[in-house]
């Protein structure tokens, strides 16, 4: 049976750390396995705590009176050496719930006001790239209003706010770099008519 043995912390930074796991394979053989994590301590790793607390939020924001646009960002990402389309997103700060984090992050990244909608189990945290990290994020759904601005962004952020209708979402999927979690939700948006958040009423 597979498992995890000893764990060694290899870095100590604010937002991301590197750990060496002793991976116990199903045949009993042991090998090193390297994991990136938001956890600052070994005991906070999900492989140790077995608690799925959200590290961050992704914000699915519907914009416009006709509810026919999504709020996207086009952000420079160093691992790609270029720009990628994503939903506004960010880390959940201590003492925040996911809705509060979504409201704060939407304002900081886009300048827009965000009214979160109760999404029930659809907002529970899910894992991202599980071959290399234990990070999990919840999606916060809601409606946006106001005028986009970059005045509240940090100097380290290179973010352009995009208000995309369904045709622009199709173009982005065909032609641009897109984060996979964003891509799936763009496909959902394109396939809907009217308010794309109507499916939440089924909860």
């Amino acid at each position: 049976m597979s498992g995890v043995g000893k764990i060694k912390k290899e870095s100590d930074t604010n937002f991301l750390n590197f750990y060496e796991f002793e991976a116990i394979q199903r045949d009993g053989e042991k090998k090193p396995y390297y994991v990136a994590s938001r956890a600052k301590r070994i005991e906070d790793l999900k492989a140790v705590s077995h608690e799925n607390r959200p590290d961050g939020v992704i914000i699915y924001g519907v914009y416009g009176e006709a509810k026919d646009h999504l709020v996207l960002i086009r952000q420079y990402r160093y691992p790609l050496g270029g720009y990628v389309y994503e939903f506004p997103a960010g880390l959940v700060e201590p003492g925040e719930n996911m809705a509060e984090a979504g409201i704060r992050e939407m304002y900081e990244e886009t300048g827009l006001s965000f009214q979160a909608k109760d999404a029930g189990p659809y907002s529970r945290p899910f894992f991202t790239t599980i071959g290399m990290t234990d990070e999990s994020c919840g999606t916060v759904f809601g409606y946006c209003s106001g005028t986009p601005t970059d005045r509240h962004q940090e100097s380290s952020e290179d973010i352009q706010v995009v208000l995309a209708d369904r045709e622009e979402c199709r173009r982005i999927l065909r032609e641009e770099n897109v984060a996979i979690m964003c891509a799936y939700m763009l496909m959902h948006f394109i396939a809907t008519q009217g308010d794309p958040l109507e499916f939440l009423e089924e909860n």
Side-chain angles (χ1 to χ4, degrees), residues 62-81:
V62 177
Y63 186 86
E65 288 186 13
K67 299 180 174 62
D68 58 353
H69 287 70
L70 290 183
V71 180
L72 306 177
I73 59 173
R74 181 177 179 265
Q75 182 167 199
Y76 188 89
R77 290 295 195 179
Y78 294 106
L80 300 182

Side-chain angles (χ1 to χ4, degrees), residues 80-91:
L80 300 182
Y83 291 87
V84 62
Y85 282 79
E86 309 172 65
F87 283 119
L91 298 178

Side-chain angles (χ1 to χ4, degrees), residues 8 15 22 31 33 35 38 41 55 62 74 98-99 113 117 127 129 140 143 145 147 159 194-196:
K8 181 181 179 183
F15 301 111
E22 180 184 54
K31 290 189 175 180
Y33 192 99
V35 176
R38 301 290 186 185
R41 306 178 304 167
D55 299 291
V62 177
R74 181 177 179 265
M98 289 196 301
S113 297
K117 186 175 174 65
F127 296 102
T129 310
V140 182
Y143 302 101
S145 60
T147 303
I159 295 174
D195 185 350

Side-chain angles (χ1 to χ4, degrees), residues 142-178:
Y143 302 101
C144 293
S145 60
T147 303
T149 178
D150 61 3
R151 288 183 301 174
H152 310 292
Q153 294 174 14
E154 297 179 9
S155 60
S156 60
E157 295 175 318
D158 183 353
I159 295 174
Q160 301 157 11
V161 184
V162 178
L163 304 177
D165 62 11
R166 287 176 172 84
E167 191 55 40
E168 176 64 2
C169 289
R170 289 188 181 94
R171 186 199 69 78
I172 289 168
L173 287 171
R174 288 194 306 266
E175 301 175 9
E176 305 286 356
N177 292 328
V178 186

